[in-house]
Structures are given as structure tokens and as C-alpha cells.
Amino acid sequence: MSEQSWHMAALALKLLAIDPKGLSGAIIKMRASPDREAIISNFAANLPLRKIPLTISDDQLLGGIDLTTALTTSQIIRKGGFFEKTGMTIIPMAERCPSELAAKLAILIDKSQTHGFLALDEGVEDDEHLSLALADRFAFYIEPIGRCPQSWVDIKFEETSPPVTLSEAIVQLTILAAKFGIFSLRAPTLALCAARAHAKLTGHAILSQKDIEVAATLVYPQRATVIPQEEPEQAAKSEEEVNPERDPSNEVESKDQQILPDGSMLIESVKAMLPPSLIDKLIHNEKTQKSSGTGAGQVRSGNRKGRPVPSRSGRINSSVRVDLIATLRAAAPWQPLRQKQQPNRAGLLIRTSDIRLKRYAEQSDRLLIFCVDASGSAAVSRLGEAKGAVELLLAEAYASRDHVALIAFRGTEAEVLLPPTRSLVQTKRRLSALPGGGGTPLASGLQNSLILAQKSQAKGLTPTIILMTDGRANIALDGSPNRLQAGIDAEKMARVLRSSRITSLVIDMSNRPQPALQELGNILGAPYVPLPRANAERLTAAVTSALVS
Amino acid sequence: MIKTPFPFSAIVGQKDMKQAMILTAIDPGIGGVLVFGDRGTGKSTAVRALAALLPPIKAVLGCPINAAAPSECPDWANLETSKTGNKPTPVIDLPLGATEDRVIGALDIERALTRGEKAFEPGLLARANRGYLYIDEVNLLEDHIVDLLLDVAQSGENVVEREGLSIRHAARFVLVGSGNPEEGELRPQLLDRFGLSVEVRSPNDVSERIEVIKRRDAFETDFDNFLKIYSKKDAKIRSAILKARKALPKIQTSDAILHDCAELCIALGSDGLRGELTLLRAARALAAYQKEEALTRKHLKAIAPIALSHRLRRDPLDEAGSAIRVARTVESVLGV
């Protein structure tokens, strides 16, 4: 398996080298290691590689005025953009690529002004990955397993003339994409490009079944959202149906028809390459949307809006504003000296080091994490009200810029039902069915809330945890039904939460207020709100008022 | 090298989106199109294709705001000629990370520092004047840029008051936004500024999907022939747009139709009067495009979903989508 994954990686890179414009790029998902270096240096032997800095300014990316020479020579000199020079582009730390840069790169790719990308994605967590706008445009996703085998050294290839594409290939690849639930129409286009590149690599004059198979196994697995379930016979039949106008008199096509087996083999070979994590999700029959809210656009830039703070020296690019007064003030003391140096220049003499940039501090967006007790008999109604409250808050979210997440705990552990989002559409999709019943693993719920809160803090959000429950903890952190240990664990988690300075709110939804919950609120340093028989509207009102005060 | 965009007429399906774009080309006063849908459904392809489809405009050569006559050119442009010439209709991309300076224009820092001159560097809004402003992922746009756009889109004028500059120039453009609703909602104020809103999905029909890939492939591999076929079709649409523009002022609108418009909007409870106005304008443009002389209920029915569905007050607890609500109301008000 591990050797095969390296073989596939080498193949993908070869194809990318053959058609960098058509295939756009590859994501290499692995940590910095000698193995990754081996991949890149192997690649560089064939094609020049250039690294793109993530902090690249618009002037550098799209071309603009060379300010440093402009200031010293007082002449305006234009310089070309990053993609003026050819060569494959490396995106280092692709998971940190800001959404603005990703959007600009996507536009350049659409205008086909780029020369192929290698995105080095070092993301560890699920939500750390390359911007989806780019990931959708890149053909390959390479995640080799294990160590690099000794034999894996060579990405050399010889190009041959472009192959003939048969319309069968297009039909096959499109149907296959649909079977794996890949809705983006970029995927079949990319797969077709890959198949053609593979034919060039192997010297096939006509696109063969092997080319199609390789292309499908390289492009489709990471995009799949469904595992096809149907019978192979049916699959073959439906293919016949969509292709009624096939001309039997055409010799090449009919000959080719004999070589082409039915779609089932293709399905199997793509299935074999599905990433294990994806299969897990698919088997649990969850609606897997790889394009769940990533929080793109949530990160603060802190230099364009908000409260002004003192300006600071730096380089001019299009994403900052120059503080003219401060710049002049910085340049003023040096004027007599500089005029002695350059007596034949009139006017102010300003150097790049004088330039001061404006800075602003900004309030970050708020994230409300609903941590809801889904245990016991009242779970269904409580979850329903929590869901209602989430949707009501989201409907108002455009005014207050709140993000919302939902964690439910029941049985032996807690799970994140709704990752942080501001999208009502996504919320409705995710919360259509909510499970309930079982024990009360309060500690686990608090633990998950803490993890989510810390993750969101790293993204620049300000999290607040809203705990909604009606009873005492009876499941400990390790999942055992031990009431005493469960209480101790819950208190422990509450202390950790408080020491992490995460604000929270305890809502008691039982018919009679519980002293134990009030105690928990005290440990959390959180307001305690008894709210028996709460409905979505009252819940929203309580949360809003408690958070404002 | 800038590649020719994919031809507009070669886009398979997506009838709503194509129709909405053609209508704004006939009457820019409709006020823009919002396209919502998943990735890879051809949103950006359609917008870029539109640029090639639109008839050229006459503008003063070198004018930063594409003014039609020398008298409308701003004096800060310091133009040397007053000749006019044909220019392609501008379609300007507003990238997500664009700063306020880039959008509205600012003091030309380079010239200020190197030559000590006070000069205005026009922004994207100036370049988009008399054309289109395209925002991809509009729902991820930063708030302060959105506020700014709202103001300019409303007044048709860009006012720059900063760093000792005091400049105003015309900025009339059709706003085209696209985005993925799963990544965040748009503020209702911005939603309202878009005249029409369409939702695009990848086609469910396999043969349609195959046709998309085939055409895309032909575009990449057999470029010249492909362009030959579809540039003729594009030219047909272009001349139909020009004819419709001429016919537009002559479209008759009866009081009964006006009454229908108002009744429809009241029944839907859409905020403000912009709904009625857009519905009317877009329906008239459609009538002109279909070479008819008078506005009828047929046109209203065709336009109502795309002109009104984004103006409804959102009810988070209502499971049915806005488009369905509009369709239901249209049926009950105008009859089947």
C-alpha cells in the first residue's frame, strides 16, 4: 500500500509536469521531511520551481511600481508580476494561505496566466487545509503513506505527440464523477486533462482505458462524497442509454468499444484509492460535505479598519495605508544631511526606511458554542429548542456578526454537530436530524467545547460557551458510568475552561433549578440562568441579554 | 498572454443565469445580478464570457472613467486628447482582499513621494464606470468594503475625501456577485442592491454534464474551430441585445400590469419599493428581448422568482426556500 501510494504520487507529478496549465496543480499533504524534500528536488530536476511568499503584495503578484528604485532615483520603474517568469510555483505552508491570496490566484488560474502549482499542505487538524477555491482547481491530491521507497527517484519522462480523445472517454469520466457524488464540473475536465497527459507519457496515440483509469484514480478519490452502491450491470446499461447516437459504422470507435470494459472496474479502482478517513465518514452515512465552512474570511487583518493605533515603519504594498504625516515626520530630521549628500535633487528626500504605515485594532467576531445536553427523555425537545435558537441567532447574525456552533453530549461522549458557521443554509442541512437519549457525559461536552473554543481563538474569533442542561453528570471522561467520577471530571473541566479565560453561560433547563448546576456555574465563573420550559425565542433572548451585560 | 474567455453561447444549460445577465446588458438600470451556487458550476466562466459578449462602448481615449464625451472627463485625469474611440465594455474583477484604496482610489503615493505631486490614482470603481464590477465570493467580502460599495452603487457617484484629496467622479456600474451560500450569508442591505438573484446548480442530467465537459475539452484542444462556431452564436446574441436596447423605450406597460406588480410585492411582503421597480424593469427588458410590443403577465411570471426571491424577509424556522414561496405567491396572485 505504501509503495503504491508513492508510485501514484510519482505518476501524478509526472502528469503535472507534462501539462501544468491544464492540470493547474497538486496538493502535497505531508509534513516537512526529507521525503518531501526528495519529491521537490526530483521535480526541480525537470522543471524550474519558484516559491511564492504568502505575504506577497499585489505589486509583486500582478506587477507594479518598484518603489525602492523609484525613491532613490526619482524615476518610476515598472516591474512585472510574479507569473511573468515561467516555472512551477510552490505554495509553502498552503494551509496558511490567506483567502485573499487564494482568490487572486484562482482568478489568475482561470485566466490561465499561471504555470502550475505545488501546494505544500502541512495541516494537521481537519480544518487546516488549502483554501477550497484553489483545491477545487488543482487536479491532484498527494498524500503518500509511509517512507519514501528506495526505488522512487525518477520523475523523468519523454513527451510524445498529443493523443486522440474519443468521446467515450469524456462520457466515462463524467458518469464516473457523478457516481462518486462529485458535483463540480471541474473534476471531469481535470481528469480528462490527466488522461491525455498519461497517454502522452506512455506514447498512446489514442486515449486508452488505462489512461482513463489512471486519471480517475488520481483525480476523483479525494473529491468523492458517495460510495457507489449500484450493480455493475446497471451501470453498464445506463452508459448505453446516454449514448444512443453512437455510430457503429465508425471503425475506430467500435474497435475501441471492445477494449473498453464496463464501468465497474473503474469504480473499483477509484474505490481502492479512497482515503480511509473519508470511507469512515461515508460508511457512517453522514452527509459529508467537504466544503463545510472553513472560516475563510474570518481572520482579521487588523490594518484596514477598526480603532487606529500608532503607525509603524514597514514596506508599502497595496494592503496597507501609508501614514503620510508620520512618514514626513520621520523624514524631516534627516533632510539637511540628505541634501548635502544629493545636492542636485530638489524637494523632500524620502527613503523607504522613513515610510510609516497606518495600523488599526479591531474587535474580533464572536463565536457562540452551544453545548447541549442530549441525554435522557427530554433530549429531543431540548435539542429542538437549541436548534431553533441557533437558527434565530444566525438570522440575526448579519447584524451582530456572530458565528454559531453546536455540540451535543449524550451516551458516553460528545460530538460536534455543527462546526462554527454563519451560514443558515449549512445549519439547516446539518441539523435536520438530531440524535438524543442516554447518559450525561457533561465533562466530555465541556472538553469538546474547550477544544473548539481554543481552535476558534487561533482563527481570531472570540468564543463563548453556552451550556444547556437539566441534570447532573453521570458519565466520566473515560466513558464509564460512574456518577462520582463524572462529577469530579466535570468540575475539573470547568476549572480548565475558566483558567483558559473562555467566557461561558450556564442555562438550567430543568423544571426545578438545580443547586449542582449553580455550583458548576460558580466554578466556570459563568452567569447561571434557570430557564425551565425554554423555547427558542426565550432562549435567544436570555443568551443575548446575558452576553451583553 | 491573455486568453480569450470561454464563449457565452457555449455555456450549457444555466438558463436563469444567462438570461439574467443578458437582461442587465439590455438595461443596466436593473442593478446587477447575484449568482449563488456551489463550486465548479460555471459562475465565473459566465461572467468572464459576458465581457466578450457585450457590445463595445464609445469612450474618450485614455479616460480613467470611460467617459462618453470629453466634457464628462474629470479634470484630474489631465487628458491630452479629446478623441473618442471604441472600447470593450469594462468588466472589472474586485478581488476579496482589495483595500479601500484600491477600490475607491487614493492619493498616488509613488508620485507624491518621488515627485512631490498631488495626484489622484483612480481605483477599481473608476475603471468599472459604464461597465460591470464582478465580485467573486461576495459573501466573504469585508464589511467596510461592502458598505462602501452599497453607497456607490446607490448614488452612482464615487466620493473620495482623504489625504487632502477632494474628488468625485461618476461610478455607474452593474454589480455582479457570486458566492457559495454554505460559506456565509449576505447582509439584506447588500442583497437588496442586486437587481436579480439566481441560484445555479451543477446539472443533474448526465448527458448535460457530458456536453459541458465535451465543450470545455473542445475549447482547450480545438480552440480555433470551436471559437469559429460559437463566436457566430455570440454575435447573434449581441445583435439581439442591441435590438432589445432600441426597442426597450417603446415597450407598452398597462396600468393593469403595474397593479399586478404591486399586488405581487405586497403579497410577498418584500421590503421597500425596489422589488416592484426591478421586477418591472427586468420584465420590460425581457419583453424587448423577446421582440414583443407590450408587457404581459407572462413576462412577470418569468421574472418574479429571480427579481424577488432575495428580497423576502428570511424566516429561519421556515424550511421551504424563498424561491418556492415566490412561486406559490405568483401562482395565487397571477393565476396559473
Side-chain angles (χ1 to χ4, degrees):
Chain A
M1 185 69 197
S2 100
E3 195 137 332
Q4 200 210 348
S5 73
W6 281 92
H7 172 70
M8 295 301 278
L11 195 54
L13 291 175
K14 271 186 214 175
L15 299 186
L16 182 61
I18 289 176
D19 186 6
K21 269 192 192 253
L23 294 168
S24 290
I27 303 168
I28 302 179
K29 174 98 176 176
M30 58 195 294
R31 306 293 290 274
S33 64
D35 285 348
R36 198 178 77 179
E37 289 309 307
I39 295 181
I40 294 168
S41 57
N42 256 318
F43 206 69
N46 286 303
L47 270 176
L49 290 175
R50 295 168 68 214
K51 210 170 255 188
I52 188 167
L54 294 185
T55 52
I56 191 168
S57 68
D58 270 11
D59 289 354
Q60 290 167 308
L61 185 68
L62 310 166
I65 286 163
D66 187 347
L67 191 64
T68 317
T69 29
L71 282 179
T72 45
T73 62
S74 140
Q75 272 176 349
I76 289 180
I77 292 166
R78 297 218 161 259
K79 56 179 181 182
F82 185 85
F83 294 106
E84 205 109 301
K85 292 182 198 149
T86 54
M88 188 80 72
T89 312
I90 288 190
I91 308 178
M93 296 201 290
E95 78 283 359
R96 307 284 297 168
C97 177
S99 57
E100 293 93 13
L101 179 62
K104 283 174 209 154
L105 290 180
I107 292 174
L108 290 173
I109 291 173
D110 285 352
K111 292 183 176 166
S112 87
Q113 290 173 10
T114 57
H115 317 291
F117 291 89
L118 280 185
L120 307 180
D121 188 338
E122 295 175 23
V124 185
E125 305 284 342
D126 276 353
D127 54 352
E128 283 183 322
H129 50 68
L130 179 66
S131 150
L132 293 164
L134 279 182
D136 192 43
R137 284 172 170 85
F138 290 171
F140 304 123
Y141 179 87
I142 300 170
E143 192 173 9
I145 307 162
R147 290 298 313 270
C148 177
Q150 284 295 319
S151 59
W152 197 87
V153 275
D154 190 29
I155 322 188
K156 279 206 190 98
F157 57 88
E158 275 171 36
E159 257 188 70
T160 55
S161 55
V164 178
T165 314
L166 299 176
S167 59
E168 263 86 2
I170 299 177
V171 173
Q172 259 188 326
L173 283 172
T174 316
I175 291 177
L176 196 63
K179 278 193 184 141
F180 278 92
I182 304 168
F183 296 108
S184 169
L185 284 169
R186 277 199 191 100
T189 312
L190 291 171
L192 194 62
C193 271
R196 208 171 284 137
H198 188 258
K200 268 193 200 174
L201 182 72
T202 47
H204 292 155
I206 296 174
L207 219 54
S208 74
Q209 192 58 29
K210 179 74 188 160
D211 299 328
I212 295 172
E213 187 186 322
V214 167
T217 46
L218 283 176
V219 176
Y220 289 162
Q222 76 276 10
R223 295 168 207 262
T225 60
V226 187
I227 299 178
Q229 299 289 344
E230 56 199 309
E231 306 289 302
E233 277 172 43
Q234 269 184 353
K237 221 172 160 189
S238 66
E239 243 165 74
E240 294 290 341
E241 274 167 14
V242 294
N243 227 351
E245 81 271 47
R246 187 181 295 148
D247 188 3
S249 66
N250 192 326
E251 258 197 358
V252 185
E253 285 202 6
S254 57
K255 216 194 281 169
D256 201 74
Q257 179 59 25
Q258 287 165 3
I259 311 168
L260 294 178
D262 60 3
S264 61
M265 253 186 60
L266 272 178
I267 293 183
E268 288 310 316
S269 49
V270 175
K271 258 191 197 172
M273 293 304 292
L274 286 178
S277 57
L278 182 67
I279 296 179
D280 273 359
K281 278 186 201 158
L282 295 181
I283 287 175
H284 283 116
N285 211 10
E286 275 176 38
K287 170 87 186 159
T288 332
Q289 278 282 331
K290 280 200 105 181
S291 60
S292 60
T294 58
Q298 289 163 358
V299 185
R300 296 161 302 158
S301 311
N303 57 6
R304 277 167 290 181
K305 52 179 184 169
R307 196 164 44 83
V309 291
S311 51
R312 174 174 81 175
S313 64
R315 291 177 61 92
I316 294 186
N317 62 45
S318 64
S319 63
V320 296
R321 290 187 60 193
V322 173
D323 188 340
L324 266 189
I325 306 292
T327 304
L328 294 179
R329 204 175 279 146
W334 303 99
Q335 291 311 306
L337 248 171
R338 287 178 188 167
Q339 256 150 21
K340 267 182 212 158
Q341 276 182 334
Q342 290 174 285
N344 46 5
R345 271 191 60 185
L348 275 175
L349 296 175
I350 292 173
R351 302 273 189 275
T352 23
S353 58
D354 300 329
I355 288 169
R356 295 288 179 275
L357 306 177
K358 284 188 179 168
R359 290 192 304 150
Y360 299 90
E362 176 209 354
Q363 282 259 296
S364 68
D365 288 359
R366 198 167 58 170
L367 168 67
L368 301 178
I369 300 172
F370 283 86
C371 181
V372 183
D373 183 354
S375 67
S377 52
V380 177
S381 72
R382 200 181 308 122
L383 271 173
E385 296 308 341
K387 179 188 162 197
V390 166
E391 290 181 357
L392 277 177
L393 279 168
L394 272 180
E396 291 166 7
Y398 50 74
S400 51
R401 292 256 126 184
D402 283 338
H403 301 242
V404 179
L406 182 66
I407 291 175
F409 53 98
R410 68 181 193 106
T412 54
E413 55 180 14
E415 68 175 316
V416 180
L417 291 180
L418 179 72
T421 181
R422 228 168 57 203
S423 160
L424 204 55
V425 178
Q426 212 204 349
T427 308
K428 278 194 188 303
R429 225 177 250 186
R430 290 225 174 209
L431 299 187
S432 53
L434 293 171
T440 312
L442 182 56
S444 172
L446 289 175
Q447 190 184 30
N448 274 19
S449 307
L450 175 67
I451 294 168
L452 189 61
Q454 283 171 338
K455 264 194 208 167
S456 63
Q457 266 177 336
K459 278 191 199 158
L461 295 169
T462 309
T464 300
I465 295 170
I466 298 154
L467 178 66
M468 294 167 58
T469 180
D470 69 346
R472 298 176 65 124
N474 57 16
I475 306 283
L477 257 188
D478 57 7
S480 61
N482 181 341
R483 196 172 276 272
L484 185 68
Q485 187 61 37
I488 294 170
D489 281 352
E491 280 182 18
K492 222 187 260 168
M493 283 317 301
R495 284 206 184 86
V496 177
L497 267 173
R498 183 170 197 176
S499 65
S500 321
R501 297 174 157 267
I502 293 167
T503 51
S504 45
L505 172 70
V506 177
I507 296 181
D508 187 348
M509 298 182 78
S510 54
N511 290 337
R512 244 176 292 150
Q514 303 257 354
L517 281 176
Q518 190 153 18
E519 178 58 24
L520 189 71
N522 283 341
I523 297 172
L524 277 168
Y528 166 79
V529 186
L531 207 65
R533 289 181 302 280
N535 59 16
E537 282 79 19
R538 286 179 59 199
L539 202 55
T540 315
V543 169
T544 318
S545 65
L547 287 178
V548 167
S549 59
Chain B
M1 179 202 81
I2 291 180
K3 214 172 142 189
T4 321
F6 194 76
F8 191 80
S9 52
I11 297 170
V12 181
Q14 314 292 19
K15 203 176 122 257
D16 278 356
M17 175 166 69
K18 286 201 282 191
Q19 179 175 298
M21 286 187 185
I22 289 174
L23 293 183
T24 60
I26 294 171
D27 182 3
I30 289 171
V33 186
L34 178 67
V35 186
F36 256 157
D38 289 334
R39 281 197 187 77
T41 44
K43 294 173 303 220
S44 37
T45 310
V47 177
R48 289 183 221 291
L50 184 72
L53 177 75
L54 293 166
I57 55 169
K58 257 207 183 98
V60 177
L61 293 175
C63 176
I65 64 163
N66 313 313
S71 60
E72 290 167 22
C73 277
D75 46 359
W76 46 261
N78 297 324
L79 287 182
E80 280 143 19
T81 69
S82 56
K83 274 191 220 153
T84 56
N86 276 343
K87 230 186 195 177
T89 304
V91 175
I92 305 297
D93 266 309
L94 193 150
L96 267 192
T99 54
E100 221 173 300
D101 294 18
R102 275 288 297 284
V103 177
I104 67 169
L107 184 71
D108 190 335
I109 295 287
E110 278 90 2
R111 270 170 80 184
L113 290 183
T114 55
R115 298 186 188 165
E117 290 170 9
K118 189 166 118 183
F120 176 63
E121 189 185 19
L124 297 174
L125 292 179
R127 285 168 54 203
N129 188 31
R130 302 182 63 206
Y132 284 70
L133 188 70
Y134 173 49
I135 314 168
D136 195 12
E137 315 247 22
V138 62
N139 43 350
L140 300 183
L141 201 64
E142 297 216 39
D143 268 1
H144 63 294
I145 301 281
V146 173
D147 294 345
L148 210 145
L149 283 177
L150 288 183
D151 184 45
V152 178
Q154 177 57 33
S155 60
E157 187 181 48
N158 181 25
V159 180
V160 187
E161 292 285 353
R162 59 201 307 181
E163 280 132 9
L165 289 168
S166 177
I167 275 170
R168 51 188 58 211
H169 65 76
R172 273 180 218 94
F173 49 84
V174 177
L175 205 54
V176 179
S178 68
N180 184 344
E182 287 206 3
E183 281 169 4
E185 312 273 327
L186 270 186
R187 287 162 60 198
Q189 293 91 328
L190 185 59
L191 272 180
D192 191 45
R193 293 298 199 280
F194 286 99
L196 308 173
S197 115
V198 284
E199 208 167 297
V200 292
R201 286 191 194 83
S202 331
N204 284 327
D205 180 26
V206 175
S207 53
E208 199 172 307
R209 290 177 71 104
I210 290 170
E211 188 57 34
V212 175
I213 305 295
K214 273 189 184 163
R215 287 196 192 172
R216 188 84 230 176
D217 182 54
F219 177 68
E220 302 287 346
T221 52
D222 191 15
F223 184 71
D224 293 331
N225 277 330
F226 187 78
L227 220 58
K228 222 181 265 169
I229 301 169
Y230 286 102
S231 58
K232 270 183 206 153
K233 291 192 181 174
D234 266 11
K236 257 186 205 163
I237 301 179
R238 190 179 305 130
S239 70
I241 290 175
L242 286 174
K243 271 183 204 151
R245 273 187 194 170
K246 271 193 195 138
L248 191 60
K250 293 173 208 141
I251 300 284
Q252 293 157 13
T253 315
S254 65
D255 282 355
I257 287 287
L258 292 179
H259 188 263
D260 281 344
C261 275
E263 204 174 332
L264 198 59
C265 291
I266 291 169
L268 280 167
S270 67
D271 294 337
L273 285 171
R274 213 190 297 268
E276 274 103 318
L277 292 172
T278 314
L279 178 62
L280 196 65
R281 287 193 95 139
R284 287 168 61 111
L286 181 66
Y289 190 62
Q290 292 175 347
K291 296 179 187 151
E292 288 181 38
E293 284 169 7
L295 193 55
T296 62
R297 280 193 167 186
K298 182 184 79 184
H299 301 122
L300 286 192
K301 272 185 208 164
I303 296 295
I306 58 173
L308 297 177
S309 62
H310 58 295
R311 293 174 209 278
L312 303 188
R313 232 166 233 280
R314 209 166 17 180
D315 179 0
L317 304 178
D318 178 20
E319 292 295 328
S322 317
I324 298 167
R325 270 165 70 198
V326 173
R328 250 188 254 145
T329 318
V330 168
E331 223 167 79
S332 68
V333 174
L334 301 182
V336 183

